[in-house]
Every structure is written in structure tokens, then in C-alpha cells.
């Protein structure tokens, strides 16, 4: 029995890796994005529309304007476009627009879908006491969020504290990160049925033990490993032990293939996505230097290759770009160039999907986590032959200040 649902995937004609074609597409995407942008942002793409609901212009990292500018900033750093203004000015404007009309109708601290992600970009590119204080209040106020997952809960807003601590080395941000980690750790309990340590997610009136990077175990482990240097020695040891044990017990394995079920105890429900499934697990362990889990991740990657591009399109969250990013991350982890080749194959398939969607709708999908801006990020990584991780989590921003372009990612801060 395969570890993926073939109806959720599509077979496309093989398209060889073509750096010239990729660079040409990136420049076209950037030019079209800048040409169609207005101070109100980009119009909502039909793929992001919710039937019967009229959303305001979207601003946040997930499928709003802020996320698209992360990709455009990197394209500007590579010389593929010129930004109309500094990113500091851009993020300040977006933050003001979000405060006036939140994406979800009500202001929330959520990292990808709320204020904390946008506020972090503003605080990093234009450090002010007001930005810092407001961000600190968001992090502290979200500490007890009962969702226990990486989109809405404390594992998400811990990212804000982590980024500000790396940028400033101020004890304030380390203390905020640790306070959220304390709550998250207190809710990590041993599940007798699964035989390992799990969190329960409390969302939409339900209590479920999700496992994926978007809403569950993998995303929480990701947050803890990202800031593991801020944990006590005892907790780092426990994190290592629980991560290795969780990977071994939670993966569904068949021979030399494996996948991560969306829910604990619900084997046979197969998704191959970042939010739910094996790609998210590979990317969630980016900051976990555990050679012990690499053999299991290689089995997950084999499943990703078997499954191929997704019918949902190019999204990092639930599409082909997320699968490609996972394979590229495994290339970084293992040093095996065949995974770079497989990542590039998926990237070219996603490029075909993006072009087909453009032909259908007459415009690109201006979104970082659900559309073509995320694909642009993957293509840039494939051109460089490196994994910079996920934009909006592992890399936030490229500063472009009057001819001086400096990358702002996890590798640029001092250790």
C-alpha cells in the first residue's frame, strides 16, 4: 500500500533543469509583481478566495503582501529587479495597513497569519523602542495560547523572540522565548497509545494530536530546536531524546519508504505536504543536528519523489514547492547531490504548474506560502544549489538600502 494518495498528485511531462529558463521566469515574475503592485497590495488570487467571503487586502506572511516582499527582496539582492522603496518603509506601511484592517478580520498575534510576523519584519528593518515594545507584548500575550501549534500558538510567536534575540543579543528576547518554551514544554505529555511524547491541539472546538509542521508535533519541535541554545542543558538532552523517539514511533514505514500521518493513531491517512506530512518533518528538523534521524528522513524523501507534484499547485504549505524545499533540505543535510537533482525536478514541475495557472487566470499568484512567491524562493535556492530553508521561518528579509543589499537570514548573525 503506497504511503501517499495518488489522486492528490499529478504526473507531468519531464522538464529538464534549465537555469536560463529559471532565471528568465524569476525576472518576469518580479517585473510583473512590481508592475501590478499598488499601495493596497495585490488582488486576492482565486485560489486563496473563500467562497461567500470578501476579504480585505491581505498583508501577512502567509498569503499577504509582507510575504511577497520577502521574495522580491531576495530577487532584488540577486539583481533581478529594483525595489521601488526600502523594505524598511515597505514593512512599516504594511504594518500600519494590517493594524487598520487585519487579514482575518480581527487582530491576532499569529506569526504567519497575524501581526507578529509583520511586526518582526518592521522591528528588524527599522529598530525603534515602540516596535520592540509592541512586539514583546504580542509574544507575551500569546504565550498561553491553547492551540499548541506553529500558525497561531506560542511556537509561532517564539520565532519573533528568536529573531530579535539573534539580531540584538538582548536578554529581554531570550527571556520571552524561554517563557513561551516553558509553557510549550509543560504541555508536552507522554501519550500511552503512541508510546511517545505529544501535544494536544485545541482548535475549532476540537482536541486532536496533530503531527505535522503546520499544526502539530513537527512544528513545535521545530520551534524548540530553533532556539535550543536558549534551553537548559537538561532540556536540550530531553529534546534530543524525545525527537529521536518521536521520529521512530510516529513515522509510518513500509520498507524503504516512510511518511508522517497527519494525526497520531490515524495511519493510512496520507498527505505529502509541509503542513501535514513528510515534507514538513524534514524541514522541521533543519535545526536539529541529529544524524540518528537521517536514515528515516531518507525514506520520507523517497516517498516525496514517488508522489511527485501536487494537484493543489505550487504552494510551499500544501503544494509542489514545499516538497521541493524538503528535498533540497535533505541535500543540505546529507550532502548527497541526488536530492538536489530531485528538488530541481520538482521545481521545474512546479514551474510548469505556475505557468498553466497564469494561462488560466492571467496573473501570477502573489503569495509566499500558497503561491508563486514561494516558488520563486525555491527556484532561487535551486539555482544556488543550497537550502536556505523556508522564507518567513528560516529567512525573513533581504535589506535593500540605496544600492547596498545585505542578506538577513539565520546564517548572517553571529553565533
Amino acid at each position: 500500500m503506497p504511503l501517499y494518495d495518488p489522486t492528490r498528485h499529478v504526473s507531468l511531462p519531464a522538464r529538464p533543469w534549465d537555469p536560463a529558463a529559471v532565471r528568465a521566469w524569476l525576472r518576469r515574475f518580479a517585473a510583473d509583481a512590481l508592475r501590478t503592485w499598488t499601495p493596497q497590495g495585490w488582488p486576492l488570487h482565486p485560489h486563496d478566495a473563500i467562497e461567500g467571503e470578501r476579504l480585505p487586502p491581505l498583508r501577512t506572511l502567509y498569503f499577504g503582501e509582507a510575504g511577497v516582499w520577502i521574495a522580491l527582496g531576495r530577487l532584488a539582492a540577486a539583481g533581478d529587479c529594483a525595489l521601488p522603496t526600502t523594505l524598511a518603509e515597505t514593512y512599516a506601511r504594511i504594518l500600519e495597513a494590517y493594524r487598520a484592517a487585519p487579514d482575518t478580520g480581527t487582530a491576532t498575534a499569529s506569526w504567519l497569519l497575524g501581526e507578529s510576523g509583520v511586526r518582526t519584519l518592521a522591528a528588524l528593518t527599522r529598530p525603534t523602542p515602540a516596535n520592540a515594545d509592541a512586539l514583546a507584548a504580542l509574544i507575551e500575550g500569546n504565550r498561553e495560547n491553547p492551540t499548541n501549534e506553529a500558525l497561531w500558538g506560542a511556537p509561532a510567536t517564539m520565532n519573533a523572540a528568536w529573531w530579535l534575540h539573534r539580531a540584538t543579543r538582548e536578554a529581554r528576547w531570550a527571556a520571552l522565548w524561554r517563557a513561551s518554551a516553558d509553557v510549550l514544554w509543560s504541555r508536552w505529555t507522554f501519550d500511552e497509545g503512541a508510546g511517545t511524547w505529544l501535544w494536544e491541539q485545541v482548535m475549532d472546538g476540537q482536541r486532536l494530536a496533530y503531527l505535522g509542521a503546520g499544526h502539530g508535533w513537527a512544528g513545535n519541535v521545530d520551534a524548540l530546536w530553533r532556539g535550543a541554545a536558549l534551553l537548559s542543558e537538561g532540556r536540550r538532552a530531553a529534546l534530543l531524546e524525545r525527537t529521536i523517539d518521536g521520529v521512530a514511533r510516529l513515522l509510518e514505514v513500509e520498507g524503504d519508504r516512510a511518511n508522517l500521518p497527519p494525526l497520531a493513531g490515524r495511519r493510512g491517512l496520507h498527505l505529502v505536504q509541509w503542513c501535514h506530512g513528510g515534507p514538513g518533518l524534514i524541514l522541521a528538523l533543519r535545526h536539529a543536528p541529529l544524524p540518528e534521524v537521517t536514515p528515516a528522513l531518507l525514506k520520507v524523501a523517497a516517498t516525496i519523489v514517488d508522489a511527485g507534484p501536487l494537484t493543489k499547485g505550487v504552494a510551499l504549505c500544501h503544494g509542489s514547492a514545499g516538497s521541493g524545499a524538503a528535498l533540497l533540505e535533505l541535500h543540505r543535510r546529507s550532502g548527497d547531490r541526488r536530492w538536489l537533482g530531485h528538488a530541481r525536478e520538482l521545481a521545474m514541475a512546479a514551474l510548469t504548474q505556475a505557468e498553466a495557472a497564469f494561462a488560466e487566470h492571467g496573473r501570477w499568484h502573489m503569495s509566499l506560502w500558497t503561491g508563486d512567491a514561494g516558488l520563486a524562493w525555491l527556484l532561487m535556492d535551486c539555482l544556488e544549489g543550497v537550502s536556505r530553508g523556508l522564507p518567513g521561518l528560516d529567512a525573513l528579509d533581504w535589506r535593500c538600502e540605496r544600492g547596498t543589499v545585505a542578506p538577513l537570514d539565520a546564517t548572517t548573525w553571529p553565533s
Side-chain angles (χ1 to χ4, degrees):
M1 179 178 174
L3 291 168
Y4 64 93
D5 180 353
T7 66
R8 292 179 174 271
H9 299 266
V10 60
S11 178
L12 297 173
R15 187 172 176 181
W17 173 246
D18 186 343
V22 167
R23 181 61 72 190
W25 184 88
L26 289 169
R27 288 173 176 166
R28 179 189 175 193
F29 169 78
D32 287 353
L34 294 171
R35 177 179 54 80
T36 57
W37 173 81
T38 73
Q40 287 72 47
W42 290 276
L44 189 69
H45 194 274
H47 288 175
D48 288 333
I50 301 173
E51 188 174 353
E53 206 174 319
R54 296 190 65 182
L55 295 175
L58 301 177
R59 308 295 183 179
T60 52
L61 289 176
Y62 185 75
F63 50 15
E65 189 185 358
V68 178
W69 286 106
I70 290 177
L72 290 176
R74 184 173 177 186
L75 284 163
D80 292 320
C81 67
L83 301 187
T85 186
T86 66
L87 288 175
E89 293 168 303
T90 294
Y91 293 135
R93 175 188 54 75
I94 293 173
L95 176 59
E96 182 179 356
Y98 173 84
R99 297 281 295 168
D103 286 11
T104 55
T106 303
T108 172
S110 169
W111 176 257
L112 287 176
L113 292 164
E115 184 177 340
S116 65
V118 179
R119 177 76 70 175
T120 298
L121 290 169
L124 288 171
T125 54
R126 182 174 286 172
T128 67
N131 266 339
D133 290 346
L135 183 58
L138 286 171
I139 298 166
E140 186 170 9
N142 203 46
R143 184 175 58 207
E144 302 285 345
N145 191 308
T147 57
N148 297 327
E149 50 85 74
L151 264 73
W152 301 98
T157 41
M158 285 164 65
N159 286 325
W162 181 80
W163 275 100
L164 266 293
H165 181 254
R166 288 189 70 84
T168 68
R169 296 302 180 188
E170 292 178 8
R172 170 191 200 179
W173 303 110
L176 284 166
W177 189 92
R178 289 190 184 103
S180 290
D182 285 345
V183 174
L184 185 63
W185 197 276
S186 72
R187 296 173 178 176
W188 201 2
T189 59
F190 189 80
D191 184 281
E192 294 289 347
T196 193
W197 294 78
L198 297 179
W199 286 273
E200 188 176 59
Q201 280 67 46
V202 183
M203 295 184 291
D204 300 325
Q206 294 183 305
R207 306 178 76 92
L208 298 167
Y210 283 107
L211 301 181
H215 296 290
W217 182 89
N220 294 353
V221 167
D222 183 13
L224 291 170
W225 274 109
R226 192 181 305 275
L230 300 175
L231 293 172
S232 68
E233 184 176 346
R235 280 198 176 168
R236 283 198 301 272
L239 176 60
L240 185 149
E241 181 180 344
R242 293 182 188 185
T243 302
I244 294 172
D245 184 69
V247 170
R249 294 182 181 275
L250 298 175
L251 276 181
E252 189 170 352
V253 180
E254 292 189 6
D256 58 357
R257 300 292 189 271
N259 198 5
L260 183 69
L263 289 161
R266 291 278 297 276
R267 293 176 182 267
L269 178 61
H270 300 129
L271 297 174
V272 185
Q273 303 172 177
W274 171 80
C275 51
H276 298 290
L281 177 64
I282 292 174
L283 289 158
L285 296 180
R286 176 181 175 86
H287 299 277
L290 302 176
E292 297 91 336
V293 304
T294 300
L297 298 185
L298 291 171
K299 293 182 178 183
V300 172
T303 301
I304 295 171
V305 173
D306 290 347
L310 286 93
T311 57
K312 288 185 176 181
V314 306
L316 284 172
C317 179
H318 44 259
S320 304
S323 291
L327 296 177
L328 200 58
E329 168 58 23
L330 193 59
H331 165 248
R332 184 196 70 82
R333 188 182 194 99
S334 69
D336 188 338
R337 287 187 62 84
R338 66 178 166 141
W339 302 113
L340 172 60
H342 286 310
R344 285 171 168 170
E345 289 169 8
L346 260 174
M348 294 304 289
L351 190 58
T352 297
Q353 292 180 293
E355 291 168 343
F358 181 89
E360 178 182 356
H361 299 289
R363 55 177 161 140
W364 302 113
H365 190 163
M366 293 300 172
S367 164
L368 185 63
W369 278 76
T370 65
D372 295 324
L375 172 59
W377 187 275
L378 171 64
L379 291 170
M380 286 185 277
D381 270 5
C382 284
L383 281 173
E384 295 178 17
V386 301
S387 168
R388 294 191 185 276
L390 290 169
L393 287 178
D394 302 305
L396 286 187
D397 165 51
W398 257 251
R399 296 183 185 182
C400 303
E401 308 289 349
R402 289 187 171 80
T404 301
V405 181
L408 177 61
D409 65 18
T411 66
T412 63
W413 302 114
S415 297

